Amino acid sequence: MADSFIFSSESVTEGHPDKVADQISDSVLDAILKDDPMGRVACEVLVSTGFAVVAGEITTTAHVDIPKIARETINGIGYNNADYGFDGGTCAVFTTIDEQSGDIAQGVDKAIEVRDSAVSEEDIASTGAGDQGMMFGYATNETKEFMPMPIALSHALARQLAKIRKDGTLPYLRPDGKTQVSLRYEKRKAVHADAIVVSTQHDPEATLEQIRADIIKNVINPIVPENLIDGDTKIFVNPTGRFVKGGPMADSGLTGRKIIVDTYGGWVPHGGGAFSGKDPTKVDRSGAYMTRYAAKNIVAAGIADECQIQVAYAIGVAEPVSLNVSTFGTGKIPEAEIVKLLREYFDFRPAAIIRTLDLRKPQYKSVAAYGHMGRIDLPEIPGWEKTDMADTLRKAARI
């Protein structure tokens, strides 16, 4: 990137149609993992006016009531009123579920290392990757969340928008909403908010003037640091002028369509795989979590101010086919040395990731909205957000 630039990231509220779908997918996953931690789940959801379709491949011993889970999730988001055009109590829920393909299952159950007799079935290497692909993890010391500031602020604005809707501060708000923050950087340091966008669904009686004043007072001012805002900051609140029709009634929603919102707001590359609805044998999810965990600990250790890690897998193979690190010139030791630290202190094989980060327990609905990374706002911090390896890495790197 140039020394001076503007960078934008967006977030969406839990009432956004795509996030409704993500939350249903992860609610189904959580329900299965509660009774069957070894369940295989690939659950995708489509929502539109008056209905939700739950589809995918699930192999489990658990018995879950998928329509009930979907309705409870929809109602919990706030779509519990027929006036909103989408109501968990009355919408139709269709399910079409098959078992996981045996061709895929054999590679996950027994990695190529087992099939080639390199290891025993009890070894941590026995679980193969559930798919090929590459995943990226990233961390920066720019914010307390170790996240890029544009996406951190966008998520905070979206969470605040949902909070004041739910606690009754602004009773005319409805569940759908989007936020966006554009920051000017000088030498990779945020110095000014060039533009802030907040779009929120609302009751038809609310006026644009009222909404704008309320959102600036109750959403933007409490979240965006004062030193970033001045008279040149462009603030857009419901820039179309009206946002009454929203949610699945206004636009269909689909699981996995907000992968940039889920990760780093576009600040770094994305491997392309979505997270929600997938059990942790799917490296799209677990690999991305592990690279985030490793990158965050590298930064927390003071080894670099920024750290990006890429890992790649072949389906049915436990060992990653590649591991790459970039510190964007901020590393205190050479990147080749950081790669050696990662190989020594982090095990990127799927079974090891699952064990290290405790991924077989219900915890995924809580990250299905407002980002999977940087979630220090949650009552229980996810395993991939812990910095428990920082001291070990700092000593090993002699920082």
Side-chain angles (χ1 to χ4, degrees):
M1 294 182 181
D3 284 345
S4 179
F5 59 91
I6 297 174
F7 195 89
S8 303
S9 293
E10 72 157 351
S11 183
V12 297
T13 66
E14 62 209 70
H16 186 281
D18 293 331
K19 278 295 148 195
V20 173
D22 282 343
Q23 289 168 93
I24 296 172
S25 292
D26 274 336
S27 293
V28 172
L29 172 62
D30 280 348
I32 290 171
L33 292 179
K34 180 180 179 182
D35 293 333
D36 178 17
M38 304 301 290
R40 298 278 173 78
V41 181
C43 177
E44 297 186 352
V45 174
L46 165 69
V47 294
S48 190
T49 305
F51 72 88
V53 179
V54 184
E57 297 79 43
I58 297 176
T59 303
T60 181
T61 59
H63 298 281
V64 297
D65 188 337
I66 291 178
K68 181 181 179 182
I69 292 169
R71 294 182 189 283
E72 289 177 346
T73 303
I74 293 166
N75 283 327
I77 291 168
Y79 289 115
N80 52 14
N81 187 328
D83 291 341
Y84 297 172
F86 192 68
D87 177 9
T90 60
C91 71
V93 179
F94 305 98
T95 61
T96 171
I97 302 294
D98 292 315
E99 290 189 346
Q100 184 181 59
S101 163
D103 294 343
I104 296 174
Q106 68 177 357
V108 178
D109 295 338
K110 292 184 179 181
I112 193 171
E113 291 90 338
V114 172
R115 286 177 276 133
D116 289 348
S117 301
V119 297
S120 70
E121 292 191 30
E122 290 74 29
D123 193 276
I124 196 70
S126 64
T127 299
D131 202 352
Q132 71 174 48
M134 64 282 190
M135 301 86 217
F136 289 88
Y138 175 81
T140 172
N141 58 15
E142 181 181 18
T143 63
K144 66 179 184 298
E145 299 93 346
F146 287 80
M147 291 287 284
M149 190 175 291
I151 188 65
L153 289 177
S154 294
H155 283 325
L157 289 170
R159 290 196 301 268
Q160 180 71 5
L161 189 57
K163 177 180 179 296
I164 63 171
R165 169 177 64 89
K166 291 182 173 182
D167 67 16
T169 299
L170 300 182
Y172 60 78
L173 296 183
R174 292 183 177 183
D176 200 356
K178 303 181 78 171
T179 62
Q180 185 171 284
V181 176
S182 301
L183 297 183
R184 180 178 297 279
Y185 278 79
E186 301 290 346
K187 297 181 179 180
R188 295 183 79 86
K189 179 178 176 61
V191 297
H192 182 251
D194 271 46
I196 301 169
V197 185
V198 178
S199 296
T200 179
Q201 188 185 11
H202 58 87
D203 289 345
E205 296 79 13
T207 66
L208 180 59
E209 292 75 14
Q210 177 188 8
I211 296 169
R212 177 180 170 83
D214 286 344
I215 294 301
I216 291 174
K217 175 184 177 182
N218 295 285
V219 178
I220 295 175
N221 287 346
I223 298 299
V224 181
E226 292 183 8
N227 65 297
L228 294 179
I229 300 179
D230 60 23
D232 293 327
T233 301
K234 298 181 287 293
I235 296 179
F236 300 97
V237 176
N238 283 14
T240 67
R242 182 176 172 86
F243 188 1
V244 173
K245 186 177 180 180
M249 181 183 184
D251 190 10
S252 62
L254 190 65
T255 298
R257 210 157 53 176
K258 284 290 177 284
I259 58 177
I260 300 302
V261 171
D262 286 343
T263 51
Y264 307 100
W267 186 264
V268 294
H270 194 294
F275 302 154
S276 289
K278 297 178 181 178
D279 76 80
T281 66
K282 279 74 170 176
V283 286
D284 279 339
R285 178 166 227 159
S286 53
Y289 288 168
M290 190 63 173
T291 50
R292 163 63 177 177
Y293 174 63
K296 186 173 182 179
N297 276 274
I298 289 291
V299 174
I303 296 172
D305 295 334
E306 296 182 63
C307 183
Q308 173 188 293
I309 300 173
Q310 185 207 49
V311 67
Y313 295 90
I315 188 169
V317 182
E319 286 285 351
V321 298
S322 70
L323 181 66
N324 176 272
V325 172
S326 177
T327 61
F328 308 95
T330 69
K332 309 303 186 295
I333 61 176
E335 290 173 354
E337 294 299 315
I338 297 176
V339 171
K340 290 180 181 179
L341 288 175
L342 292 176
R343 293 190 183 280
E344 181 175 355
Y345 291 102
F346 297 90
D347 192 337
F348 289 89
R349 294 173 295 179
I353 295 173
I354 291 169
R355 180 184 63 184
T356 299
L357 303 183
D358 195 14
L359 298 182
R360 289 202 184 277
K361 66 181 182 181
Q363 58 186 308
Y364 298 110
K365 180 178 179 290
S366 64
V367 295
Y370 311 115
H372 291 245
M373 314 304 178
R375 298 306 303 273
I376 60 174
D377 61 295
L378 296 174
E380 182 179 355
I381 297 176
W384 57 93
E385 289 300 319
K386 295 180 179 179
T387 55
D388 51 354
M389 289 296 294
D391 287 342
T392 299
L393 292 170
R394 187 181 301 112
K395 292 173 183 176
R398 297 183 174 88
I399 297 296

